[in-house]
Amino acid sequence: MNEIERLREKGCHVDEAIARCGGDDAFYLELVQLALAKERYEGIKLLVETKNYKGAFEAAHALKGVVINLSLTPMEQIAIDMTEKLRPQQPVDLSEDLTALLQWRESLEACM
């Protein structure tokens, strides 16, 4: 089983995203690997921990766009929820969201 089939099994709508990538499977997988870079997720967590809510909102908003465009479907609602919770740029508890997001990141990364 290849990476695309494994992502599909996890609930990602890869066909839509591959179409957005001009039908180039390799390019799509490259983008997915970049999207799943652990630093991106640790960065959001650190921004929240240091109370940089503006930065956390911007990072969550960017992540939301990435996961939606790449059809990393299991992560989409989590990223949307985090973005909306951070939109007021006020203190917020994202512990459950971050835990779920990191679990999905690891799960999808294992497909690669």
Side-chain angles (χ1 to χ4, degrees), residues 6-7 16 22-24 47 49 51 62 66 106:
R6 287 192 292 271
L7 287 170
E16 297 169 3
D24 188 337
L47 289 165
E49 288 171 352
K51 300 180 182 1
V66 168
E106 289 175 15

Side-chain angles (χ1 to χ4, degrees), residues 17-36:
I18 292 170
R20 283 192 286 278
C21 291
D24 188 337
D25 293 3
F27 180 57
Y28 170 72
L29 291 172
E30 221 176 284
L31 293 175
V32 170
Q33 286 180 329
L34 290 172
L36 296 176

